Amino acid sequence: MNEALLADLDDDQRRAVTCPPTATIVHAGAGSGKTRVLTHRIAWRIAEGTADPSRVLAITFTREAAAEMRRRLRALGVVRNHRPGDTDSPTIGTFHAVALGLLRRRASDTSATMPNIVGNRLSLLQEAIGDKSALRQRQLMLAEIDWAHARMIPPERYAFEVQRAQRSVSLDAASVAAAYLAYEQLKRRRGLVDLDDLLSLATRAIYDRSDFAAATRFRFRHLFVDEAQDMNPLQYAFFEALRGDRADVFVVGDPLQAIYGWNGADPALFTSLPDALPNPTVLSLPNNYRCSPQVLSVATHVARHNGTEPEVRARRANGLPAVLIEAADEDDELAQAFDIVVRHADRSAHGSRGARGEHASRGAPSSPVAVLARTHQQLEPLARWLERSGVAVASRRVDAARATAIDEVSDCRDRHDLAVWAADVLIESENDAQREVAGQVQEFLRSAAASTVDGRTAAAWLRAAQHTPDTSGVELLTFHGAKGREFSVVVIIGADRGLLPHANASSPAQLAEEARLAYVACTRAADHLYIVRARRRRGRAATISQFFADLPSDVERADSQTSSRPTDLPRLSTPRDASGLANDNLRRRLRLMRDDIARINFCLPEVVLSDAEIRRIVDERPADLEHLARILGPLTAQRLGASILRETVAFA
């Protein structure tokens, strides 16, 4: 059995799996098989008798990663079942889930009451500050509060730390600090907590009570952390509290994929681990099994703008050259991306006709195809073009994603588990089906009596709900949303300055993170990588992103050619349809507004404003609250009216 665990591992992977059970740090490059190594390491330790499965704790950053780790460990015979509370299997979960479990155990031991998780954070902040600010301002304030939480910055030090971090904030720092303090005080009075408070409370409980610390560290003797480059100071403090002074830790990460600094993460925490852990073994996984040498060459070129020379090498045979396309303007840029996607869709449809008869439309590409951009805004017109042309646009297969999400819901033990699961999904997931399930879980929690709330009841309720139709197709994702994914074909659009790096990135740390984002985007491609940029954008000359300037000589250069862009769609940048452009801009602004509100309140965007409501607002252009109330109802109109009316006036 032990030798079977090492089959099909390369020398570097074997070294990481079989090294002595001391503090170990693994630098795992993109496509290097890090999850395989991490799960085989756990299985190897258990098989060798150096780890008790019931004492293993593996912390991940997303529920999807945790579910994948359980699946692989089950395949290796380590996890016998995966219901919470198992005593014969490893504990695997996100930081929030692990912290919640510890707090629940602590409350059970001391007969304490578990605090409730904040439902509507915007409303709570509005109450805390006395409704003295506009909706957008409160959204920005909560984003800053979240950043401060992640960095363990109290209200009284917020202004100083923002200046020290060279953080670009459009709000007055003193006003944010005052709102932050009022928000925290109101939470304490109401007995409410945010998700990050779970980490703070669990960390404090470990340090405050030696008996609880000893019990926790005895229970979790063997500590594994995945994607450790994404830890923020609060998560790192929780990790250190769990670890104590022990050396039995196995940490995997890739500094080149640290892309969440805007949200408080600090990649320096990972790079400083060799100094923090006792006599650590530092290993690397340099072999990339995902990308062709041509794709990896471009990614490596991009990564040098992070100030490092990546130690990665392609293990696949030579493939097709990467392609840099110089488009005339932003319309032509989208047309080039459209052409690439359509070519692959046509190829898929041609093959399908030969195997299964005629198809009425192009359908979805047989190989995974993705178009990646720095922001969602860049992808919206392309989605419309593709859908109008019969090319399916989707995330993952909805039925499978929904079934997996419901399985995760069934594992939740009580209301707290369900609330944390739903909030985690709505914060981290780009998958529409999963987000839909999370929204339905929140609806279940609002409607269910306290005595009937558990995972199995919620899962049964969800299975009885209407299923979303099964769809698949080309994926349109931001660079952040693409992390952890891989595709045969990747098209990167918006490869010019102002979009990449983003115009808001000004400090050296921010520019380095933008380079890492571009690296992540490139390494999502296995076989084909296309980079498209516009020579002119919004009527002005545009400069190619420094990340893609002076690309390797084997990259194929191409000017834009006649495209198959749908002829019945207007060009985006011409003024010939001013009213249409105004409608598009208003629609986009309303969607951005609802997305911000949804993110802050851990809910689905459609709960804030439905697509139908946005369409009516765009069509009718309400000029006052009375008209808006006829569309949204009086309560929603009162809550969102000022911000919506400001947008309708701006795009009149």
Side-chain angles (χ1 to χ4, degrees), residues 295 323 340 344 368-372 479 482 485-493 520-531:
V295 169
V323 180
I340 295 166
H344 285 277
V369 181
V371 180
L372 309 183
F479 292 174
R485 308 287 301 279
E486 61 180 74
F487 308 91
S488 176
V489 180
V490 166
V491 185
I492 294 174
I493 62 174
V520 166
C522 290
T523 54
R524 300 311 94 194
D527 306 305
H528 307 276
L529 175 62
Y530 299 87
I531 302 154

Side-chain angles (χ1 to χ4, degrees), residues 297-338:
S297 175
V298 173
T300 300
H301 171 86
V302 169
R304 293 191 182 105
H305 289 272
N306 182 50
T308 59
E309 182 68 30
E311 296 182 6
V312 292
R313 53 179 178 259
R315 302 298 293 178
R316 292 182 52 194
N318 276 327
L320 296 172
V323 180
L324 172 64
I325 300 175
E326 301 267 0
D329 55 22
E330 62 264 46
D331 300 316
D332 192 30
E333 175 187 62
L334 292 178
Q336 299 308 312
F338 177 89

